Amino acid sequence: MARANRAARRRGTPRASRLGPRDVLHVGSAGLRSRPLRVVLSAIGIAIGIATMIAVVGVSASSQARLMRQLDALGTNMLVAEPGEGMFSGEQVKLPKDAVGMVSRIEGVEDVGATGDLRHSVRRSQRIPEGETGGIAVKAATEGMLDVLRGGTATGTWLNAANGRYPSVVLGHVAAARLGITEPGRQVWIDDRYFTVVGVLDPLPLAPEIERSALVGWQAAGELLGFDGHPTAVYERSTDASVPTVRELLASTIDPRNPHQVSVGDPSSALQAKAATEGAFSTLLLGLGGIALLVGGVGVANTMIISVLERRHEIGLRRSLGATRGQIRIQFVAESLMLSGLGGLAGVALGAAATAAYAHTAGLPWVVPPWAVGGGFGATLAIGTVAGLYPAVRASRLSPTLALQA
């Protein structure tokens, strides 16, 4: 090439000047400025595809952020021990009555609580048919349960040494909603007597079984409802460093003779799994967004082909004035990139706005991952390049003479 240029200089043949970045921007935007309506319509397809992808990723990331915040607040150091399967089919396994005391002596354990299932129903009054319980379970609960769960009361108070001896009950927030009770002081019918509601709990994501239950004091359950004192679930919270050790010792501590009959679970694992799979259902919507993006790319390519056909005289004139084929290709590829870039910017803004609106409505933190923004905008530029290649090559191959005669 250098040898050809030197030969051209010796012959006095004029050479085509190179296009600088400013020149490329100017010639590339000329077609967009002359047909603004077509530009807007072509960019809409790109914008819809990118907006869909950004919104799907953003909503999923916002939901994951809320779950991770819940995990940080609730902790992942709580374990629950429950009766497992007996050696024989149909054998009923019971945890020892002093299970709470034994667990509290394990090194590293900070808080321990327990619940015991009661075979009674809870209703708003004795006039409600016994079968209409709303799926609300009745459980005996120790005083330390709320500390283990890191929960609180929305209204009223928790069970304590004073009210736990009398017919008092605390409702989980789901149970309270089903009974239509929002404040303490109301009464509910359990077994053959009324119990006074002394509190309603806040939501407990780590213990959904408590949310759907009516909780009575451990002593009152034994004296008034025939509770045998055997817990059906022991909840403990230990230091983060002690969790693996406590997990290994928990079953053998509760039942040294038959540790295999004690099942140990981690309630936080459900939230962790939910956070990990939060974006699983977004795959379909991401696919739809990708299809919309491809359709937008086809629209850009179609727009550029039409632009080449309509601007044959311009192309012929530029070629006759010395523009090279490479410069013509650069012009139309740059125009395609600008067209796609405008759609991409609009799509990113729309997707971020849609995510913000959803997060505000659902009470989620607004999260739009930077990789989604960068990847989405990069995809628009890639599609714009591909969409503009064929029209650019076609434009560069036009003969100046034939183009000016058409």
Side-chain angles (χ1 to χ4, degrees):
M1 179 64 68
R3 185 178 300 174
N5 289 337
R6 287 194 298 269
R9 283 196 298 268
R10 287 194 298 268
R11 293 193 301 268
T13 305
R15 293 178 300 156
S17 60
R18 292 183 178 181
L19 293 178
R22 186 175 180 180
D23 299 321
V24 172
L25 182 65
H26 178 74
V27 297
S29 62
L32 303 184
R33 295 194 304 268
S34 61
R35 298 168 179 82
L37 181 60
R38 182 182 298 175
V39 169
V40 172
L41 294 177
S42 299
I44 286 177
I46 295 287
I48 291 175
I50 292 299
T52 302
M53 299 177 74
I54 294 293
V56 169
V57 174
V59 168
S60 177
S62 298
S63 299
Q64 287 178 335
R66 178 178 64 177
L67 290 174
M68 296 311 297
R69 287 185 183 181
Q70 287 182 343
L71 281 172
D72 291 339
L74 298 172
T76 58
N77 56 348
M78 187 177 80
L79 299 175
V80 180
E82 298 175 306
E85 297 182 358
M87 296 181 61
F88 305 99
S89 177
E91 179 183 1
Q92 184 178 6
V93 177
K94 291 186 177 182
L95 300 181
K97 292 183 179 181
D98 57 346
V100 172
M102 292 189 293
V103 171
S104 65
R105 290 190 286 271
I106 300 177
E107 184 177 358
V109 172
E110 297 178 330
D111 297 301
V112 185
T115 60
D117 292 342
L118 301 173
R119 296 182 179 179
H120 297 289
S121 62
V122 54
R123 292 166 286 164
R124 292 188 62 179
S125 73
Q126 59 183 342
R127 297 183 179 86
I128 303 297
E130 187 173 353
E132 296 183 11
T133 64
I136 302 172
V138 181
K139 296 178 181 288
T142 61
E143 297 174 16
M145 268 298 300
L146 203 60
D147 293 332
V148 180
L149 297 176
R150 291 186 180 174
T153 54
T155 56
T157 185
W158 174 244
L159 300 168
N160 51 49
N163 59 31
R165 298 179 296 169
Y166 300 103
S168 305
V169 62
V170 174
L171 300 177
H173 86 285
V174 175
R178 291 176 179 175
L179 291 171
I181 297 175
T182 58
E183 297 180 353
R186 300 281 298 275
Q187 291 187 319
V188 294
W189 185 260
I190 301 177
D191 195 17
D192 60 350
R193 68 176 66 221
Y194 279 104
F195 279 65
T196 301
V197 177
V198 296
V200 176
L201 296 178
D202 285 325
L204 299 170
L206 292 183
E209 69 280 1
I210 302 298
E211 296 180 332
R212 299 188 294 269
S213 302
L215 307 167
V216 298
W218 202 263
Q219 183 176 346
E223 296 176 355
L224 304 176
L225 299 175
F227 177 49
D228 61 5
H230 289 276
T232 51
V234 177
Y235 300 77
E236 71 80 29
R237 211 175 262 280
S238 55
T239 61
D240 292 334
S242 303
V243 171
T245 302
V246 173
R247 185 192 296 271
E248 293 180 1
L249 296 176
L250 196 56
S252 58
T253 301
I254 293 176
D255 193 347
R257 293 185 177 181
N258 302 294
H260 61 277
Q261 293 184 355
V262 180
S263 174
V264 178
D266 179 5
S268 65
S269 60
L271 281 179
Q272 291 173 342
K274 186 176 180 181
T277 59
E278 185 65 35
F281 295 103
S282 302
T283 304
L284 177 60
L285 293 177
L286 282 174
L288 293 176
I291 292 174
L293 189 58
L294 290 176
V295 171
V298 172
V300 170
N302 184 55
T303 298
M304 296 306 301
I305 291 175
I306 294 175
S307 179
V308 169
L309 294 176
E310 291 179 345
R311 297 161 65 185
R312 292 168 63 90
H313 285 83
E314 174 191 336
I315 297 169
L317 181 61
R318 290 200 61 209
R319 288 297 310 280
S320 64
L321 292 176
T324 65
R325 290 185 175 183
Q327 291 173 346
I328 297 297
R329 287 195 293 266
I330 290 174
Q331 173 186 347
F332 284 91
V333 169
E335 185 174 332
S336 178
L337 278 172
M338 291 179 188
L339 180 57
S340 300
L342 289 174
L345 290 174
V348 169
L350 288 174
T355 303
Y358 178 83
H360 177 74
T361 303
L364 301 175
W366 179 44
V367 178
V368 177
W371 64 263
V373 176
F377 189 71
T380 62
L381 297 182
I383 287 180
T385 302
V386 173
L389 281 177
Y390 173 72
V393 171
R394 182 170 178 174
S396 66
R397 290 179 177 177
L398 287 176
S399 169
T401 306
L402 296 178
L404 291 173
Q405 289 179 350

